[in-house]
Amino acid sequence: RCVDVDAAVTGLNAHRGSLLLSFHGGFTLIARMLFSAANCGLQVTGPNAKKGLFVAYKELASGRSALLSPDGVYGRRDKTISVLGRRFSIGTGAAYLAYETRRPIAWYTVKRDGNRFVPILEAGPHRTADETYDEFESRLFSFYSAKMEDFLIGDPGNLILSQRWIAQFASDEPASG
């Protein structure tokens, strides 16, 4: 098979109850398809970000997973991160969800492995007992930007970017989202 659905279902179920963070690079549609196949939670997408965050909060609180891409165009994008020396605006909903629900976080993407696609899941930071929201948000988005950088400088065969990312990296102006 060209898509390892069994490995994805096993990996995603091992992270059941986690907030899975992804971005609009790589094989986004395949990653979403595998998440759906695992039937382990909710994908937060679309223009109604407030409703999506509320539903994601309920999913996480009930022990199911939520998949969210903070680099998306919807929601309040009032946080700026650095990716490969460029500044990008991202949404803060993921940090809020992780902080308030105290659920585990994992980076989730799909990469090519020879002639097939495999899921990549890596545990992320977890809120500590005495950590403020601002401290946690800073740690979370440092992790997120580092994972994006790792992906972007990795195997070029995995580098599929949305038009937004292509335009921002191609521009002579510092990126802002």
Side-chain angles (χ1 to χ4, degrees):
R1 288 189 218 167
C2 68
V3 178
D4 196 340
V5 176
D6 294 334
V9 170
T10 300
L12 287 164
N13 279 320
H15 288 273
R16 187 173 287 274
S18 295
L19 175 59
L20 303 177
L21 301 181
S22 193
F23 86 115
H24 293 89
F27 303 101
T28 307
L29 295 178
I30 295 171
R32 288 181 182 171
M33 185 254 331
L34 291 173
F35 184 82
S36 292
N39 193 28
C40 61
L42 168 79
Q43 296 182 48
V44 181
T45 62
N48 194 340
K50 287 182 182 178
K51 180 181 177 184
L53 287 179
F54 177 73
V55 175
Y57 183 93
K58 289 176 67 172
E59 287 283 302
L60 290 164
S62 71
R64 292 180 49 82
S65 298
L67 173 60
L68 185 69
S69 297
D71 70 310
V73 298
Y74 299 115
R76 276 185 30 205
R77 296 180 3 186
D78 53 2
K79 181 71 177 176
T80 303
I81 61 171
S82 176
V83 178
L84 299 175
R86 305 293 298 244
R87 308 290 296 166
F88 293 94
S89 297
I90 61 169
T92 57
Y96 168 79
L97 287 172
Y99 187 83
E100 290 299 326
T101 64
R102 296 182 180 263
R103 301 303 304 162
I105 296 169
W107 169 258
Y108 170 58
T109 192
V110 170
K111 290 187 178 181
R112 288 183 57 214
D113 181 15
N115 63 352
R116 65 191 187 123
F117 296 98
V118 295
I120 305 297
L121 289 131
E122 182 180 329
H126 195 77
R127 175 185 171 186
T128 62
D130 60 344
E131 194 168 31
T132 68
Y133 175 80
D134 289 339
E135 292 167 338
F136 175 73
E137 181 188 65
S138 178
R139 264 189 337 112
L140 175 65
F141 287 132
S142 289
F143 168 78
Y144 186 69
S145 62
K147 298 308 334 163
M148 290 174 67
E149 287 181 347
D150 289 348
F151 192 90
L152 292 167
I153 64 173
D155 181 353
N158 290 315
L159 195 55
I160 309 291
L161 296 177
S162 68
Q163 288 297 323
R164 175 177 166 240
W165 281 102
I166 292 169
Q168 288 180 335
F169 278 118
S171 170
D172 288 337
E173 297 296 317
S176 64

